[in-house]
Amino acid sequence: MAGQQFQYDDSGNTFFYFLTSFVGLIVIPATYYFWPRDQNAEQLRLKDLRKVHGRCLWYRLRLMKSQQSIIPTLKKVALLIGWVLFLFLAYKISKIDREYQEYNPYEVLSLDPGASVSEIKRQYRLLSLRFHPDKGGDEVMFMRIAKAHAALTNEESRNNWQTYGNPDGPQATSFGIALPAWIVDQKNSMLVLLVYGLAFMVILPVVVGTWWYRSIRYSGDQILINTTQLFMHFMYKTPNMNMKRLGMVLTAAFEFDPRNNKEATIRPTDNIEVPELIRDLGNINVKKKEPPFCYPYSLKARVLMLSHLARMEVSEDIKEDQQFVVRKSPALLQEMVNVSCQLTMMANSRGGFPAPRLVSIENCMKLSQMIVQGLQESKSPLLQLPHFEEEHLRYCVSKKYKVRSIQDLVSLKDSDRRNMLRFLGEEKYEEVMAVLGSFPLITIDIKLQVVDDEDSNNITAGSIVTVTVTLTRKRMLDFFEKEQEQVCAPEDPNTEEGQGDVGKNKSKVWQNKNKAAKKTSKSKKKKLTKKKAPSQQQQQQQKQDKQKQANGTVAVNEVVPSTKEEEDEVSDKGSDSEEGETNKDSPSERDDESDTEPDEMGGDDEEEWKALQQSIQRRERALLETKSKITHPVYSLYFPEEKHEWWWLYIADRKEQTLVSMPYHVCTLKDTEEVELKFPAPSKPGNYQYSVILRSDSFMGLDQIKPLKLEVHQAKQMPDNHPQWDIPETEEEEEDQEDSDGIEESEEEDNE
């Protein structure tokens, strides 16, 4: 067997191949991941947002950062240097001659392949006279000529050349290593070992250990594990947590402690700045000795958060610290919601301790809104808009307008709105309307069912109820445009009265149905006192109804039932009338109808099957599809970071102050989002009143609460015996069962 030889690169040529590959493996992926994206696109995006978000703190900070930052330039320079090095090495390789060539004796003798033996000998003699060492020729070249002559004239050498590619027969396998020979030189052995030991025994373990130590301190949401344990302790200790206590627990997070987070800092000026803010804020439980609320970092974070909610001016020395506290708070509050949900599930499954109350969880959500908008809980949601101050609210809450919320402001007519906001100039008014038009308008569609059940609409005790909530996001600007279209549309004098009645009774999207019902009842009472003459269309409709009744036909339901009971009554009446008509039909017609009934039932089954398949495909797509959490930027005047619209969706029993389903954090609502909330039905039959609640984590006053009525029936008893369950255990029992079935069938035939 041939031996093996390892050859190092003495010339250093093959080392360029290794170096080029190494540089290419670094430069190509680094360019894809680290090359600064098109800054013009970011500038255009910011330019489009200027009209609405131009006054926001995050917008101004983003502009300053984009103008002052030199990091993108440094990235481009480093990547360009890498590409220059890569191209230089590639050019160097292209100039290197190939050292390895296939041995060809005809080329050595300068002969054409297939030359005769006489031609080979004649050429050998000529070259020998020229390159023989005794004649002053090249000894190496003469040895190659002699070897080529032997390979073509000697039979054994010729066979070796044709078989192994070398006249001398099989050679030792040569492995070329693309490293310089000085690396394995004995003189440099200690230096090479030192470099290897330093790289693989010191630097690599330190880097991996540092990364591992830092990663195990954080959860999947990049929250310190110690902070999660702190939240769980206080949520367990105080199930009913008010807003003041909640703020203290939030600011006690270890993210604000410089010993656990390098971003948090304690400055020498804190001893002067923080006491001044405490005097301006008033009572904030400074003397409370309960740890960790009494620690300096917790007290400083609490003071900075409360001063942010009060919209107080702070000095430049601690403004950066305040922005850090505000920026971290929404993620920490989301972690508090998650901890509350975990404690609720543990309390429901194990028992032994009270679950956090619904008010505690909702306070976390409300505090997130307050921090993003920089408002206290008692302040008006109208202060979220630009140019609105405390002294301007008296114009809004007057008896003439009674505007106390964003929805009330949107519901006003444009003329009344402009008259109410007359303290604003034309330019400021346009800015307020642009901001108001960017606010979200969410419509909620609720579907209740029991999935994977024969009767999906029948809810039995203990069954898993699935509430499918479809959220559709629009802008308030769309509502303004519809309102303008209705105002500009030409009115028909014949239908003016009917449209007026509908317009009075029509409720807004965000208004509660109970309020709308009260308004309609009041309007009905007014109508009873003073009746109007029927219009021409109503008179024609009454005549048509009389003609239909005279002909014996049944009128279609033209009036939409307002309640479920009225729907049931109408359906019962309709079924009775249909039964009466079918009894009058001929027997042939009855047979035809009986034949069509299975077809209709089959069609219903097919529709249910298609709906089931569509829902399964929709779930699979939702699992496989990765949606971006970049939705719509939030208008927030005092939040230091760009915040996107996220929502909490959950089902609660507001009477018992408990969660029915865990809050689902909707982070991908751009236009439409479908969310499934599942919960076990109550164990006792009866009627239950729940609420489907949608809360924003950024806007104040845009939360929605929809009623959810649940009618729970008694679960069906499982049958003790069923033919499908009689499965024979052996083949003999199966044959005996078939024989017994055959005997029973023959006895029945004999009896017939």
Side-chain angles (χ1 to χ4, degrees), residues 80-91:
L80 287 175
I81 292 174
W83 275 103
V84 169
L85 179 61
F86 178 74
L87 294 176
F88 172 75
L89 293 173
Y91 173 76

Side-chain angles (χ1 to χ4, degrees), residues 205-275:
V206 168
V207 171
V208 175
T210 304
W211 168 80
W212 176 251
Y213 175 73
R214 289 181 179 176
S215 62
I216 61 175
R217 295 170 59 228
Y218 291 89
S219 63
D221 297 327
Q222 296 302 309
I223 303 297
L224 287 170
I225 301 295
N226 294 336
T227 300
T228 304
Q229 295 175 352
L230 177 74
F231 290 164
M232 186 166 289
H233 168 74
F234 284 106
M235 281 290 181
Y236 173 81
K237 186 178 179 181
T238 315
N240 194 1
M241 189 176 294
N242 57 21
M243 192 67 72
K244 191 173 184 179
R245 176 80 172 179
L246 181 63
M248 296 174 66
V249 174
L250 171 65
T251 53
F254 290 100
E255 272 77 3
F256 306 133
D257 188 359
R259 295 173 296 180
N260 294 278
N261 191 0
K262 293 182 179 179
E263 295 182 50
T265 55
I266 295 293
R267 306 177 189 274
T269 56
D270 292 345
N271 296 327
I272 302 173
E273 300 286 346
V274 174

Side-chain angles (χ1 to χ4, degrees), residues 14 71 73 118 141 247 333 374 381 487 490 609 623 665 687 715:
T14 55
I71 294 177
T73 306
S118 59
M141 187 62 187
L333 288 168
V487 171
W609 175 253
L623 291 174
H665 204 196
N687 295 325

Side-chain angles (χ1 to χ4, degrees), residues 217-385:
R217 295 170 59 228
Y218 291 89
S219 63
D221 297 327
Q222 296 302 309
I223 303 297
L224 287 170
I225 301 295
N226 294 336
T227 300
T228 304
Q229 295 175 352
L230 177 74
F231 290 164
M232 186 166 289
H233 168 74
F234 284 106
M235 281 290 181
Y236 173 81
K237 186 178 179 181
T238 315
N240 194 1
M241 189 176 294
N242 57 21
M243 192 67 72
K244 191 173 184 179
R245 176 80 172 179
L246 181 63
M248 296 174 66
V249 174
L250 171 65
T251 53
F254 290 100
E255 272 77 3
F256 306 133
D257 188 359
R259 295 173 296 180
N260 294 278
N261 191 0
K262 293 182 179 179
E263 295 182 50
T265 55
I266 295 293
R267 306 177 189 274
T269 56
D270 292 345
N271 296 327
I272 302 173
E273 300 286 346
V274 174
E276 291 180 358
L277 291 175
I278 292 174
R279 285 194 296 270
D280 295 337
L281 289 170
N283 184 20
I284 59 170
N285 292 341
V286 179
K287 297 181 180 181
K288 195 173 185 63
K289 301 300 181 182
E290 182 182 3
F293 306 137
C294 58
Y295 295 161
Y297 83 89
S298 177
L299 180 61
K300 177 183 176 181
R302 185 160 72 252
V303 169
L304 293 177
M305 185 196 70
L306 293 176
S307 62
H308 168 73
L309 296 180
R311 295 187 174 183
M312 295 172 55
E313 291 291 335
V314 296
S315 64
E316 295 293 335
D317 296 333
I318 59 174
K319 182 176 289 186
E320 186 178 350
D321 298 341
Q322 185 188 51
Q323 293 176 1
F324 168 72
V325 171
V326 173
R327 191 168 57 249
K328 283 284 185 182
S329 295
L332 294 173
L333 288 168
Q334 171 61 28
E335 185 67 16
M336 294 182 75
V337 173
N338 295 337
V339 167
S340 303
C341 296
Q342 294 175 10
L343 290 174
T344 301
M345 290 188 291
M346 292 171 61
N348 294 338
S349 59
R350 301 178 185 177
F353 64 92
R357 303 286 289 175
L358 179 63
V359 65
S360 302
I361 301 173
E362 290 183 340
N363 281 339
C364 295
M365 301 176 183
K366 292 178 182 178
L367 185 57
S368 177
Q369 301 172 2
M370 293 159 53
I371 290 176
V372 172
Q373 295 297 333
L375 280 176
Q376 296 175 344
E377 186 180 12
S378 59
K379 298 298 181 180
S380 171
L382 297 174
L383 296 176
Q384 298 174 103
L385 299 173

Side-chain angles (χ1 to χ4, degrees), residues 94-112:
S94 65
K95 295 298 181 180
I96 297 175
D97 297 332
R98 284 187 65 187
E99 294 184 358
Y100 174 76
Q101 295 180 355
E102 186 179 357
Y103 180 74
N104 190 352
Y106 289 102
E107 292 182 359
V108 176
L109 296 175
S110 300
L111 291 173
D112 296 331

Side-chain angles (χ1 to χ4, degrees), residues 721-728:
N721 295 320
H722 197 277
Q724 293 181 350
W725 299 346
D726 297 337
I727 302 174

